[in-house]
Amino acid sequence: MNSCLKVSDPEIFALLDQEAQRQKDNIELIASANFTSRAVLEATGSILTNKVAEGYPGRRYFSGCETIDVLENLAIERAKQLFGATYANLEPYTGSQANHAVYLTVLKPGDRILAMDLGHGGHLSHGAKFTMTGKIYDCHFYQVDPDTEYLDYDRILSQAKEIRPKLIIAGASSYPRTIDFQRFREIADEVGAYLLADIAHICGLVAAGLHPSPIPHAHFVTMSTQKTLRGPRSGMILLGEHSAPEFARKIDSAVFPGVQGAVHVHAIAAKAVMLKEAMSASFGSYQRQNLENSRILAEELMERGFRLVSGGTDNHLMLLDLTEQGITGKEAEERLASVRITVNKNLLPYDSQKPTVCSGIRVGTSAITTRGFGAQEMHSIAELINKMLSSEPTVNTIAKVQDEVSRLCRLHPHIDSIYEQDGDRFARKSEYQLHN
Ligand code: DSN
């Protein structure tokens, strides 16, 4: 495939090659990042891109959908099986689109939402004032406890009683602790609100049984599929048995034609592949290692004097407060980028810095765990972060850190390690290997 591209568009080919090299040579610690399998990539880049389809299996607005009807039904069944759901909609283009479809299902413009504050770990699509959600709905926010930095469910209940939201959103993009979906449902019931669980970050852990599932509790469950699930860049909506009878058809029409148009059939196929992979024993091992890596990295960083928000992590990510080190999140992100360690600056709860500066960074282990990094590498990475952030690094230190990053990357060479890890199914050599 790449050889066609090389001939027809050498500029784009060269950029892809450059990005492949970056992915190979960098330690990827952005918590939402991961590496898909080659099988997922093949489905994403397949001839399914050529097929136009609108509507749902058996209810299409174009002909020629016999094959893709089978494909979409198979994907739906796999999603239901993996998560123990009774309804699945695989058509949302992204996690944000999935959220918008839920809003369209139960809210009218001006209705109240209560969601996690963006600066405390929430997500843009949950109602930040400059977003579509924030402009259409009346959005209010709960925050973490100022002392423990954990969610304070009693406080959320009091706020819910005061605000009387029509929808409560449980879910985050930078909250390192377990979320109690049952408690959230009790709060929602007490104030007569619907509960949406957005599990974009933790869906892989939920699928592997390593984080409590929201399916028995939430009215709606949404997610993006490229993070801990290791799928394509896409979205998904699930319903449990208590809400499917009432909402299945409404969600269908909220997704299409409510918030989007023709189906991304190639992404549906890639999600089907992702779901099959997520049912394998190796996926469970991967997620256990992901949690173990995260726990070890958190401990190693704290031992080196870094303060972690909430004092640690229960999941695949952690937030480092760099106030003690005297640098901003922006400076830390840039310093680490200079040695090919990729992180993102992140607001911390009650942060006094602007979102473009931030007082901390978010660090996640999903991508490096896919790459095969284990306990020993977590020790090394903590040491490298310490060398770069605890004080201004010298030229000599920077050179030594760069060498160590190269060594670690060579030890676990990019995406090809996934194929070896997962056995025969992905045994074929990648284009990247063939070219190098
Ligand atoms: N939701 C954003 C994140 O958590 O990084 C991007 O997917």
Side-chain angles (χ1 to χ4, degrees):
M1 184 179 65
N2 274 357
S3 56
C4 286
L5 186 60
K6 190 175 188 174
V7 174
S8 68
D9 197 333
E11 267 175 294
I12 295 298
F13 178 83
L15 290 171
L16 255 68
D17 214 38
Q18 193 174 310
E19 172 58 15
Q21 196 64 39
R22 190 199 66 81
Q23 291 186 17
K24 188 181 175 210
D25 294 343
N26 278 254
I27 294 179
E28 178 59 80
L29 296 179
I30 292 179
S32 49
N34 215 328
F35 299 107
T36 67
S37 68
R38 174 137 308 250
V40 167
L41 283 183
E42 276 182 16
T44 308
S46 69
I47 49 91
L48 291 170
T49 300
N50 304 337
K51 181 68 194 109
V52 61
E54 282 181 355
Y56 292 91
R59 302 181 269 145
R60 301 290 189 190
Y61 290 86
F62 299 105
S63 63
C65 291
E66 301 77 16
T67 307
I68 58 123
D69 277 6
V70 176
L71 178 84
E72 187 165 347
N73 276 330
L74 181 58
I76 288 169
E77 287 312 312
R78 286 182 183 176
K80 283 157 60 177
Q81 191 188 334
L82 178 66
F83 286 96
T86 49
Y87 162 94
N89 190 310
L90 279 281
E91 293 195 7
Y93 301 154
T94 66
S96 294
Q97 300 279 93
N99 287 339
H100 289 303
V102 172
Y103 306 154
L104 192 64
T105 301
V106 291
L107 301 177
K108 292 194 173 54
D111 277 351
R112 281 191 287 275
I113 294 177
L114 178 60
M116 193 169 193
D117 193 317
L118 183 63
H120 288 238
H123 189 254
L124 283 168
S125 67
H126 296 177
K129 65 175 186 298
F130 44 83
T131 66
M132 196 165 93
T133 318
K135 288 180 193 297
I136 296 177
Y137 307 106
D138 179 15
C139 299
H140 299 256
F141 303 98
Y142 56 85
Q143 303 185 327
V144 295
D145 180 275
D147 298 320
T148 64
E149 297 175 313
Y150 276 65
L151 287 170
D152 176 345
Y153 296 95
D154 291 339
R155 205 152 156 240
I156 297 168
L157 173 62
S158 309
Q159 247 183 303
K161 281 180 171 167
E162 201 180 301
I163 292 161
R164 311 300 299 186
K166 195 155 179 200
L167 179 71
I168 295 177
I169 306 176
S173 59
S174 54
Y175 182 65
R177 295 300 181 176
T178 301
I179 296 175
D180 188 342
F181 294 114
Q182 185 174 353
R183 185 80 174 96
F184 262 113
R185 177 58 190 261
E186 286 162 10
I187 294 170
D189 284 346
E190 207 157 326
V191 299
Y194 292 112
L195 176 64
L196 161 62
D198 179 345
I199 58 169
H201 263 268
I202 55 171
C203 49
L205 300 173
V206 171
L210 298 170
H211 187 290
S213 171
I215 298 285
H217 309 296
H219 295 92
F220 309 97
V221 177
T222 56
M223 67 197 79
S224 50
T225 51
Q226 72 277 9
K227 298 181 174 105
T228 47
L229 263 182
R230 293 201 299 205
R233 296 205 158 265
S234 201
M236 201 151 85
I237 304 175
L238 304 174
L239 302 179
E241 60 187 325
H242 56 281
S243 55
E246 188 183 350
F247 290 112
R249 281 283 174 153
K250 288 179 185 161
I251 289 284
D252 276 354
S253 43
V255 173
F256 172 83
V259 298
Q260 58 184 54
V263 187
H264 286 186
V265 186
H266 59 299
I268 303 263
K271 280 180 272 192
V273 175
M274 164 201 83
L275 290 161
K276 186 174 178 195
E277 289 175 6
M279 288 179 211
S280 69
S282 68
F283 186 79
S285 314
Y286 159 67
Q287 293 298 357
R288 279 189 292 281
Q289 187 65 52
N290 192 10
L291 281 188
E292 181 67 354
N293 281 349
S294 182
R295 186 188 62 75
I296 296 170
L297 184 57
E299 277 171 12
E300 297 271 349
L301 286 166
M302 288 189 290
E303 272 173 28
R304 287 165 177 79
F306 288 93
R307 192 187 86 77
L308 264 56
V309 167
S310 81
T313 178
D314 298 329
N315 59 28
H316 62 296
L317 66 86
M318 63 208 76
L319 286 168
L320 275 64
D321 178 354
L322 300 170
T323 315
E324 267 298 299
Q325 282 70 26
I327 54 169
T328 64
K330 182 173 185 285
E331 285 164 339
E333 180 186 300
E334 287 165 2
R335 231 185 247 184
L336 290 172
S338 74
V339 291
R340 290 179 279 108
I341 295 176
T342 316
V343 301
N344 66 281
K345 58 184 167 297
N346 215 97
L347 285 174
L348 306 179
Y350 308 100
D351 207 324
S352 55
Q353 295 282 7
K354 294 185 294 188
T356 46
V357 178
C358 303
S359 295
I361 54 172
R362 185 182 63 162
V363 168
T365 51
S366 298
I368 51 171
T369 305
T370 293
R371 208 170 158 164
F373 283 43
Q376 189 53 45
E377 288 79 25
M378 295 310 112
H379 171 87
S380 306
I381 290 171
E383 192 48 38
L384 298 180
I385 292 175
N386 187 40
K387 282 189 173 135
M388 291 304 295
L389 303 187
S390 58
S391 57
E392 179 85 43
T394 62
V395 173
N396 192 29
T397 301
I398 291 173
K400 280 189 177 150
V401 171
Q402 282 170 339
D403 283 351
E404 178 63 1
V405 167
S406 299
R407 187 189 72 80
L408 290 170
C409 290
R410 273 198 308 274
L411 205 61
H412 299 288
H414 192 44
I415 192 166
D416 297 317
S417 60
I418 304 168
Y419 313 137
E420 285 152 20
Q421 220 169 275
D422 281 6
D424 287 341
R425 204 147 48 95
F426 306 125
R428 169 167 103 71
K429 284 194 178 230
S430 74
E431 295 292 337
Y432 190 83
Q433 266 184 328
L434 295 172
H435 281 291
N436 292 275

